[in-house]
Amino acid sequence: MKIARIEAIVVEQQLDRPFYFSQFEFQARQVCLVKAVADDGSYGWGEGYGPAAVVKAGVEFLAPLAIGENPLRVEAIWSKMHLRALDYARRGVLVAAISAIDIALWDLRGKLLGQPVSALLGGRRREDVRVYATGLYFTESDDQVGALVKEAQRYAAQGFSAIKMKVGLGVETDLRHVRAVRQAIGADIELMVDANHAYSLSEALAFARQIEPLGISFFEEPLSPEDYDGYRELRQRTSIPIAGGECEYLLAGFRQLLSMRCVDIAQPDICAAGGLTEVKRIAALASAFQTNIIPHSWGTGIAFAAGLHLVSTLDPLPGRLRMSAAMLEMDRSENALRDTLTRPQFKQVDGYVSVPTAPGLGVDVDPVQLARYAAGG
Ligand code: CA
């Protein structure tokens, strides 16, 4: 059997309510999907994280390396793509294009072998993965604090046991927001904060010190992803665990982040950092540094399914009788692509989502929705 085609399809949805975070505003959600089709008509789905048009160009550049190949040789194909990209893109969107093709090939391989991707990754340790709600972005609201409180209470009522909120607008504003949300959800729900690298080291330190009494489970991307020394220093000077890595790529990138002891939690994005092939290796490397990974996930049901399969195979560290749960990000911001493009829909119950059991990733794209979103929603 051979890979006959690699299709790159950009899907787009205009948001009903634009939202922003510390770096820029979103008016629309846009993703580049990849469909890898074998000569017998079998297919697998993948997606890349990053500017969709650029991911698409990358997929089209790399596709000839996969076409004509045996679809079971996923890691060999990965190596060919990586070598072809290495001279131009040791990190960045071309790696996201590799990731998108790689995920599609894992899905295809699972379908051809009649096995869920988690089985091919080494076998799941759990049937349900703990998820945390990502939301609490900023909107043009007269009452931002009230809006954040209401949204956080909604996630708590839905059963989430962990919630992540955006910060990075400035220490005083952020403090007001975090205090209000913590008070609204009570002490029993885990709360995390994400600055999307908007702080300087001194700001991050001042902020961290003031939120330490609020029981924050991790402080995500406090500093520029280029500031490895800053991460290391901040981590030594606050009791809040530091998380990061969604802007990091490939094993070599994570080696730098981990060997410099920058983070307590590494957050590779499977759709950007090198696909399932490479993030499995990153997880192994992280375990050698006694660092847990909680993958970044901000895409459609394809990205989320890839995350569920991978996280279901992780061994949380340190090993112990009463093991802490491995966790995955579950974006709750407005995203019709995530909610309607793929089937079946993922349901969160009491803070957990079941890992699909069907062969491959266990999700399929609805052709009617695909046609609609490929035309711009
Ligand atoms: Ca983030």
Coordinates of all heavy atoms in Angstrom, one line a residue, residues 164 166 194 196 220-221 246 296 329, ligand 1:
K164 N -7.8 27.5 33.7 CA -6.7 28.4 33.4 C -7.2 29.7 32.9 O -8.1 29.7 32.0 CB -5.8 27.8 32.4 CG -4.5 28.5 32.2 CD -3.5 27.8 31.4 CE -3.8 27.9 29.9 NZ -3.0 27.1 29.0
K166 N -6.3 33.9 31.6 CA -5.3 34.7 30.9 C -4.9 35.9 31.8 O -5.7 36.4 32.5 CB -5.9 35.3 29.6 CG -6.0 34.2 28.5 CD -4.7 33.7 28.1 CE -4.9 32.5 27.1 NZ -3.6 31.9 26.8
D194 N -1.9 32.2 32.7 CA -1.1 32.2 31.5 C -0.9 33.6 31.0 O -1.8 34.3 30.6 CB -1.9 31.3 30.5 CG -1.2 31.2 29.2 OD1 0.0 31.7 29.0 OD2 -1.7 30.5 28.2
N196 N 1.2 34.3 28.4 CA 1.6 34.4 27.0 C 2.8 35.3 26.8 O 2.8 36.1 25.9 CB 0.4 34.8 26.1 CG -0.7 33.8 26.0 OD1 -1.6 33.8 26.8 ND2 -0.5 32.8 25.2
E220 N 2.0 29.9 33.6 CA 2.4 29.5 32.2 C 2.9 30.7 31.4 O 2.4 31.8 31.5 CB 1.1 29.0 31.5 CG 1.4 28.6 30.1 CD 0.2 27.8 29.5 OE1 -0.4 27.0 30.2 OE2 -0.2 28.1 28.3
E221 N 4.0 30.4 30.7 CA 4.6 31.4 29.8 C 4.7 32.8 30.4 O 4.3 33.8 29.8 CB 3.9 31.5 28.5 CG 4.3 30.3 27.5 CD 4.1 30.7 26.1 OE1 3.0 31.1 25.7 OE2 5.1 30.7 25.3
E246 N 5.0 25.9 24.7 CA 4.1 25.9 23.5 C 4.7 26.6 22.3 O 4.3 26.4 21.2 CB 2.7 26.5 23.8 CG 2.7 28.0 24.0 CD 1.3 28.5 24.3 OE1 0.9 28.3 25.4 OE2 0.7 29.1 23.4
H296 N 0.1 21.5 25.2 CA -0.7 22.6 24.8 C -1.7 22.1 23.7 O -1.3 21.3 22.8 CB 0.2 23.7 24.2 CG -0.5 24.8 23.6 ND1 -0.6 25.0 22.2 CD2 -1.0 26.0 24.1 CE1 -1.2 26.1 22.0 NE2 -1.5 26.7 23.1
E329 N -4.9 20.1 28.1 CA -5.6 21.4 28.0 C -6.9 21.2 27.1 O -6.8 20.5 26.1 CB -4.7 22.4 27.3 CG -5.4 23.7 26.9 CD -4.4 24.8 26.6 OE1 -3.3 24.5 26.0 OE2 -4.7 26.0 26.8
Ligands
CA1 CA -0.7 29.3 26.6

